[in-house]
Every structure is written in C-alpha cells, then in structure tokens.
Amino acid sequence: MLVGAFTGVAIALITKNFALAVIGAIVAGGLLSLIFAYLAVSRRGDQMVTGFGVNLLATGLTLVLLPYLNAIRTRTVLFPVIDAGFLKDIPLLGPMIFDQSIGVWMALILTPMSMWVLYKTTWGLSLRAVGENSKAVATAGLSVIKLRYIGVLLGGLFAGLGGAFLALNNIGFFVANMTQSRGFIVLAALVVGKWNPLYFGIACILFGAADALQLRAQAFGSVLPYQVYLMLPYLLTIAALAGLVGRTQAPKEYAKPYDPTQA
Amino acid sequence: MKKEYQINQLQINSLGIIDFLLASSRPIFSVIMAFLVSGVIILIQGINPIDAFSAIIRGAFGNIGSIANTCVRATPLLIGALGMTLGIRGGIFNVGAEGQLYIGAAAATTVGLLPLPVPSWLHITLSLIAGILGGSLFAVLPAFLKAYRGISEIVVTIMLNFVGIYFVSYLIHEPNLIGKADASYAQSRDILPSAALPVLIKGTSLHFGIIIAVVLALILFSVLKYSRFGYRTRMVGANPEAAHYVGVNVKRSIFTTFLMVGGFSGLMGAVEILGFKHSIFDYFSGGLGYDTVAVSLLGGVNPLGVIVSAFFFGSLRAGGNLMQQTVGVSTYMVQVIQALVVLFIVGIGFMKPRIRKQKSTTLQPIETNNLEG
C-alpha cells in the first residue's frame, strides 16, 4: 500500500496522467507482493517474518526516495470526482453518495466483484480450496504454488490500488509512513468480516468511520485530549478482534506453507 | 538421546556455541547480500556505494567517540532483541516492542523525575524496574488475547504501538504530568541526575546500560539453555502440542513469556531514557522497537548471536548519520539494509526448522526426556 501510494504520487507528478499513476501504483504493489510470494510460497519462509521484512523494505525505500519526490514541485492529478449532476443536490444523501470520487466507486464495485469471483466461479472455488486444503487441490491436478502466487499477487495489486487512493484521492502528495499501518487494520477487518468480502467491506466502512470521526473530533476541539481520538481507530480494531473470538473461522491452512514433499 | 527427535531437535538444541558458529555463515551471507543490493540502490541514486559504506565505518568506528556512540546505539537494540529472541523461542512474534518501549520509557521517566530521598543506585534501580513493569503491563492485553483467546499477537501489538505512542505524546504535552512547561517542542522534563545511568568514559556518551545489556544476554542464554523454565519455553515455541501432552501449561507459558518479552521492551525504553536521552519526546525511539526483529533474526534467535548483531546494527545506526552528512545518502538506507537482511535470512531458510510441522516423531522421545534437556 505504501509503495503503491508512493509510486502513484511519483507517476502522477511526473506524467500528470491519472490512469498511468493508478496503473503504476497497482503494478508496484504487485511487484512487491511477488517478493513476498517467492519467499513465503516458494521458499516456504515464515510468513510473519517475511511480511515484516517486506513492510520494512517498503518503509525504508519510500523514505530513502522521498527527498527525490519532494524535489518535484508541481501540482499532481487526483482521483476525479464523478459529477452526478442534479443528484448531488439531494439534501444529506446528495453530498454523501453522489459527490464521491471514482476511487470510492471502485471500492464499491470491487467488493461484489470479488465476491462473485470467489464464490461463483470455478477458479474462485480453487483459490478458496487452496487455503482450506492444499493437498486436495493438488490431488485434483491443480498447481497449489501457482494458485497461491496468484492469490498473493492479486492481494498486492489491490493494496497498490489502495495506496494510490490514499495518496491521490484528495491530498495529492506522499507523507512518510502515510499508511499508518492501515494494512494491519485490513487484516483485522478480514477477521471481523469473517473472511467474506461483503462483511469485510462493512467492517472496513466501520473502521473508516472511526478514522473520520477522529479527524472531525480533532477539528472541533473537545474536552478529551486529541491523542485519544488518534488512538480511536486502533482501539476499535483491537476491540473488534477481541469481541469476535470464536465466531469467525479463518481458512484452515491460512499462513501455512505448502510443502509437496510431506504426505 | 540427542539424535532422536530430529527436526524438533534442531530448534530446541540450536542454542549451543558450536551450532551458533556453524549457523553464523548464513547470517554473514545475508549481510553481504543485503549490502550488495543496497549498494545497487545507492548507485542508482548516483552515489558511489563504497564512499557511502566507508562513511558508515568511519562514523561507527572512526574514533573513541564514535565507538562509544556505536555502543550506545547497540544497547537498546540488544535489550529489545533479547526480548524478541525469548518471544520467538517461546512461540511469540512480538511486533509490539515499539509501544512497550514508549510505555516503559514513560514509566521510568516518571520515577526518574520523583525527588526520592534514596541513594542514586536505588533511584536508578527503581526507575529501571518501573520501565520493566510498564512494558510488561502494556503486553498484558496481547498476551491474554494470544494465550487464552487464540488471537494473533501481530495485529493487536501493532495497533497497541500507536496507542502507546499517542498515550506518551499526551503525557509529555501536559505540564501537570511529565511535560516540560516552556519547551520549544513537546518533551518531558529532564530526569533527575540521581536517576541517570553513570557515564563509563568521560567525554563520551557511553553509559552503564551496555553492561546491563550484555549481562542480560549472558543470563538469558544460560536460562534458555540450561534451566527448566528455558527448556519449557523453547518446547512451547517449537511444538505446543507436544508440550501440552507432556503436561506443560502451554497457555500459561505463552502468557508469562509474553509479559517477560514486554518487560525487556520496557527496559529497553527505560535504559534509552536514563542513559542517553534523559527526557522523552514524540517519536524519540526512531523505530527501535521494530529494529529488534531484524537484530534478533540476524543473531540467529540466540542471545549470544544477538550481542554480535546488536553491535552490527548499532554501528549502522551510528554510522548512518555520517553517511548522510558526507555523501548525502539518506539515513533511512540503514532501514533498507535491515529489511534486506531479514528477507535474505528468510530466503536462505534460516527459520525453516521452526516452521516445518513434524507430526509423528516428536512425542515419544520427549516423554523419556524428563524435561531437563
């Protein structure tokens, strides 16, 4: 996500082309995920440690390159807002729904789309099976390694898009560590959303609401110190995780490497 | 007895010095590869990587002051990485050292600010204990959730890092608490001289913390290798099911180990404040807590190896500044090198014995083993 955000801003600044920037961000996210895929799937490395290393690399690289980005002093291109015409003038609902950028719509479309792919296509079934019982998939003649690679790669592409949205939706520049560990909130949303894209989307809106509340509350000024509001999304994440114990089921072979040599 | 339980054996008994020497070729290879790749990255920026690396070496070992600086940088890394090592050995991947170190540092500062009518050594000890307790306290929630609710510690601890950092930020913004009243930027008041760790060499920043850190490493090494507690902890980390079958209370072991890991992180923060920074400010740690992961892995998750790797990363941190000043490569390059070291270690398969699930060969030999190892 961080690398996606960075690449998105960089390409947006250099080419001034919105589509190129988003594609670049997605590709960058995908490339980074391939490092993870190689180490975690092919080398069967510990996924926690590998993920930690990849995150550290992303943070470090973006920080090293940030001065070069800041040296480019031009205005960037942002996610265009879809002009819904008269719909925007509906009170309350208008600005809430019909004044959103194309990025928000992308997220809303991608959610049912990924549900459809995961639950209604043969390929989606294979992908889910590879997380539940990789040996059965291998017995059925499909390549576990290939499916897992594609899974990780898709994850990286989506994360890259997420990063592009974060940086280019309205602020238009890159801030050091701007994702603020949102990737891990996503992990929590997965658990809370019972590994189902629809519930996951709802969980994400909930976390997003906490984030928005945090910004608003700071702006209004209140009795509580502003740090309390900053903590809010993180506290909510922990509370949601802690509260949903036992009622959520991860794929059985989640985070377990596949070793074809073992029976 | 020694050859019987195969892969499990690798993990449980890979603490010996000879094993360590054999295993150290892989970390060294990882470091060389990491330097090669980061050299290419520096080259892309149009800077000669040899100039950059030699600046790091001069900055880390050029004179007595810079060597002292290297040791000062290595001290918190060593203490924190010992906690990380204990955690990994006990089946815990604690990414929450950053938050725990802030809380530990704040606790130590709070005690360090109290004008206690006690001799200096006692004041220091009390402040350090406060730091340990602070770190442990901040690990209670993830420890409980991990041990008794089966919730992954990774997300919880990373979320708590932010909570800890913002909480300390609140403390130092309030003059009624530990904040400094008329500071140009938010920071705590300076700790009292009686709570400061003594400086070892006059004119340098080298402080007593380094001795604490190295002694702790030796203690942890012996405890892990020779004590009943150490064996039990390693068994829980290597194979929780087997540990359960031989009567170890796995949940309680994970819970208590996690609290100790938090204590190490808290102590890391306390030593950094009492020995070096003398007051807390926002983001004073510069990611020390996250660095402990790389230090521990490079050290082969072995307390003795961690001593070496802590000094290695300490020298990078100490030399990084000179690299930025003289050749203009960002100090964050150090972080890139660290990340590459971690990835190469994973790629070379250093952690493999821990990961591979072994099904049948584990139970019986351990039963005959009386837990004394």
Side-chain angles (χ1 to χ4, degrees):
Chain A
M1 212 193 279
L2 201 59
V3 167
F6 187 88
T7 318
V9 173
I11 297 181
L13 284 173
I14 295 165
T15 66
K16 305 252 167 215
N17 184 323
F18 170 73
L20 269 184
V22 173
I23 293 170
I26 294 174
V27 170
L31 284 179
L32 196 69
S33 75
L34 283 182
I35 301 179
F36 178 84
Y38 172 72
L39 291 171
V41 180
S42 299
R43 303 287 309 166
R44 295 196 286 277
D46 187 300
Q47 298 193 7
M48 294 193 227
V49 178
T50 313
F52 177 82
V54 170
N55 279 331
L56 195 65
L57 183 68
T59 320
L61 273 181
T62 51
L63 288 174
V64 166
L65 298 175
L66 188 56
Y68 297 93
L69 195 62
N70 287 339
I72 312 172
R73 298 211 170 274
T74 51
R75 278 199 62 76
T76 172
V77 280
L78 297 175
F79 270 78
V81 171
I82 293 181
D83 191 358
F86 69 95
L87 287 173
K88 210 162 65 180
D89 303 326
I90 304 170
L92 195 65
L93 280 179
M96 203 162 85
I97 299 173
F98 296 107
D99 197 17
Q100 296 285 12
S101 82
I102 191 170
V104 175
W105 291 107
M106 276 176 170
L108 289 179
I109 294 165
L110 281 172
T111 310
M113 244 177 76
S114 41
M115 268 197 90
W116 182 77
V117 170
L118 272 178
Y119 293 100
K120 297 285 175 206
T121 65
T122 322
W123 186 81
L125 179 71
S126 317
L127 190 72
R128 281 185 297 132
V130 104
E132 296 287 349
N133 189 338
S134 51
K135 271 147 215 146
V137 175
T139 316
L142 295 165
S143 166
V144 173
I145 302 288
K146 195 170 132 196
L147 278 166
R148 288 200 168 170
Y149 256 90
I150 296 173
V152 174
L153 178 63
L154 281 174
L157 299 177
F158 277 55
L161 177 62
F165 179 78
L166 191 65
L168 292 176
N169 191 48
N170 48 37
I171 59 171
F173 54 87
F174 182 86
V175 187
N177 288 322
M178 75 182 304
T179 53
Q180 294 273 297
S181 291
R182 277 188 179 77
F184 293 96
I185 297 188
V186 168
L187 275 181
L190 254 184
V191 176
V192 174
K194 300 182 176 179
W195 305 84
N196 173 314
L198 182 65
Y199 299 138
F200 167 71
I202 295 169
C204 282
I205 291 176
L206 197 74
F207 288 132
D211 206 15
L213 176 71
Q214 172 259 114
L215 279 172
R216 283 293 159 91
Q218 277 190 70
F220 283 141
S222 75
V223 279
L224 289 169
Y226 72 89
Q227 286 94 347
V228 173
Y229 297 105
L230 284 173
M231 288 178 196
L232 202 64
Y234 304 107
L235 287 174
L236 181 76
T237 308
I238 298 173
L241 270 181
L244 277 156
V245 186
R247 274 178 274 167
T248 175
Q249 181 70 58
K252 286 198 186 59
E253 295 188 18
Y254 172 63
K256 290 198 177 73
Y258 170 68
D259 184 351
T261 59
Q262 282 191 5
Chain B
M1 176 179 106
K2 283 218 162 172
K3 280 177 193 138
E4 279 165 26
Y5 37 103
Q6 298 177 2
I7 287 180
N8 235 16
Q9 183 78 10
L10 269 178
Q11 211 265 330
I12 295 191
N13 269 18
S14 62
L15 272 169
I17 293 174
I18 294 164
D19 298 286
F20 165 64
L21 287 177
L22 280 175
S24 62
S25 62
R26 278 178 292 198
I28 290 169
F29 183 68
S30 303
V31 169
I32 293 171
M33 290 302 291
F35 270 105
L36 281 179
V37 175
S38 47
V40 172
I41 298 173
I42 294 174
L43 201 62
I44 294 171
Q45 299 177 63
I47 295 160
N48 185 347
I50 296 178
D51 291 346
F53 294 144
S54 64
I56 290 187
I57 294 170
R58 271 183 290 125
F61 305 105
N63 54 46
I64 194 86
S66 51
I67 294 174
N69 192 17
T70 296
C71 294
V72 169
R73 306 282 174 174
T75 302
L77 287 178
L78 177 50
I79 298 174
L82 290 175
M84 192 68 212
T85 302
L86 174 65
I88 294 181
R89 290 284 173 187
I92 298 159
F93 193 64
N94 174 37
V95 209
E98 188 76 1
Q100 291 148 9
L101 100 85
Y102 273 84
I103 300 296
T109 309
T110 308
V111 176
L113 285 171
L114 298 174
L116 299 174
V118 293
S120 178
W121 65 267
L122 190 58
H123 198 181
I124 293 173
T125 313
L126 289 175
S127 307
L128 290 176
I129 290 174
I132 296 172
L133 291 180
S136 285
L137 195 69
F138 210 57
V140 167
L141 182 64
F144 173 77
L145 291 178
K146 160 110 181 155
Y148 295 101
R149 290 285 180 270
I151 298 175
S152 158
E153 67 276 32
I154 304 214
V155 176
V156 177
T157 49
I158 286 184
M159 299 295 112
L160 279 177
N161 285 343
F162 288 89
V163 175
I165 290 171
Y166 291 135
F167 178 67
V168 170
S169 170
Y170 166 66
L171 293 181
I172 61 178
H173 275 85
E174 289 294 315
N176 303 335
L177 301 166
I178 59 172
K180 196 171 169 181
D182 48 354
S184 53
Y185 60 95
Q187 63 184 94
S188 74
R189 296 190 290 278
D190 280 3
I191 54 159
L192 300 174
S194 61
L197 289 168
V199 171
L200 294 180
I201 303 175
K202 278 235 158 62
T204 70
S205 50
L206 187 65
H207 59 78
F208 189 74
I210 188 80
I211 297 177
I212 299 178
V214 173
V215 168
L216 272 178
L218 298 176
I219 293 176
L220 185 68
F221 176 79
S222 346
V223 166
L224 272 178
K225 189 163 167 61
Y226 300 113
S227 79
R228 197 175 252 271
F229 162 81
Y231 191 84
R232 206 166 50 211
T233 306
R234 282 185 285 138
M235 194 159 68
V236 169
N239 193 333
E241 287 114 59
H244 176 74
Y245 275 114
V246 294
V248 175
N249 187 335
V250 173
K251 290 178 177 175
R252 203 174 60 196
S253 166
I254 289 181
F255 186 75
T256 47
T257 310
F258 212 140
L259 294 197
M260 291 168 136
V261 173
F264 271 102
S265 312
L267 182 64
M268 160 168 70
V271 167
E272 185 73 350
I273 295 298
L274 302 178
F276 186 44
K277 300 264 156 80
H278 299 297
S279 78
I280 308 186
F281 44 93
D282 278 326
Y283 304 107
F284 77 94
S285 86
L288 273 177
Y290 294 107
D291 292 354
T292 58
V293 180
V295 175
S296 175
L297 289 177
L298 184 70
V301 205
N302 176 322
L304 297 184
V306 167
I307 299 181
V308 180
S309 80
F311 276 95
F312 170 70
F313 281 120
S315 67
L316 284 186
R317 271 193 163 228
N321 290 328
L322 192 71
M323 175 175 73
Q324 179 153 24
Q325 286 158 22
T326 55
V327 294
V329 176
S330 160
T331 46
Y332 294 116
M333 202 62 216
V334 171
Q335 204 175 339
V336 174
I337 298 175
Q338 267 181 25
L340 290 169
V341 167
V342 172
L343 291 177
F344 276 113
I345 287 177
V346 177
I348 296 163
F350 190 79
M351 301 286 290
K352 236 170 211 171
R354 191 172 89 87
I355 299 147
R356 286 219 179 141
K357 288 263 171 201
Q358 197 66 10
K359 277 179 188 160
S360 54
T361 53
T362 48
L363 297 183
Q364 189 214 350
I366 292 178
E367 270 174 357
T368 59
N369 200 354
N370 195 18
L371 285 189
E372 290 295 319

